[in-house]
Each structure stands twice: as C-alpha cells, then as structure tokens.
Amino acid sequence: ADEEIPFYDSNTGKPLFYAPRGRTMEQFLNESRNHGWPSFRDAEVNWDYVRVLPNGETVSVDGTHLGHNLPDGKGSRYCINLVCVAGRPDGECGAEEKK
C-alpha cells in the first residue's frame, strides 16, 4: 500500500515528514535503502516544523538534529536519522506510564 506514513519528532511528537508523497512506497523504500537513511523529498517535508540550515543540516524548529540535505540530480534529498523521527504523535508520549 502507498498510504502515507507520518514521521514524528522523537523529542516533541510533532509531525515532520509524510512519506511517500508524490512517489510510490516502493520508490521511497528503495531510495532509503540505497542511501542507508530514510530519504525524504521536498513534498514530504512538513515545513511548519522542519528547517534546513545554510550548511545543509536539517533540524526541527525545536532544535532536534534530524540529518542533512544531500541534493542529487532529482533535487533536495533529506537523509534523516531514523531515531530522530521515531517519535509518537504529540500528546501520546508517556501515555502508558500514566495508566
């Protein structure tokens, strides 16, 4: 299935990326495998919460280091450390501990 998957900031739970968007799941997974990192394109970035610094470092607006923009022949390619986007939606973090 090519249903979009949200990727959340591991520190804040804010949605940072949605993939696949503008391509198939197979294309997203193949590109990510080929580069060794989840690789997102411009259309998959939630620009409300993601910034790219002049040196290419990609961060959340809250300061979480996410990875780097490593452009290729297709445009910007954001290679992101999976641990940084393995969070849960804002408000769900710690829900189990409170039960």
Side-chain angles (χ1 to χ4, degrees):
D2 287 345
E3 185 175 329
E4 287 184 3
I5 298 170
F7 293 82
Y8 298 96
D9 186 314
S10 58
N11 290 312
T12 67
K14 292 177 181 173
L16 303 177
F17 302 94
Y18 297 92
R21 188 176 276 179
R23 57 184 170 163
T24 67
M25 180 64 78
E26 182 179 359
Q27 290 169 323
F28 169 70
L29 293 174
N30 284 340
E31 182 173 70
S32 296
R33 280 188 203 111
N34 288 340
H35 296 290
W37 302 93
S39 295
F40 301 95
R41 296 294 177 166
D42 282 326
E44 298 168 322
V45 180
N46 182 349
W47 294 110
D48 290 339
Y49 301 120
V50 175
R51 299 291 181 266
V52 180
L53 305 180
N55 66 358
E57 180 183 5
T58 305
V59 298
S60 75
V61 296
D62 296 296
T64 304
H65 170 82
L66 302 173
H68 292 86
N69 179 18
L70 302 171
D72 63 10
K74 298 176 188 173
S76 291
R77 179 172 48 92
Y78 306 95
C79 296
I80 303 301
N81 184 330
L82 185 58
V83 171
C84 299
V85 292
R88 294 188 293 187
D90 187 27
E92 288 188 18
C93 294
E96 285 80 29
E97 291 84 19
K98 294 178 184 176
K99 289 183 182 179

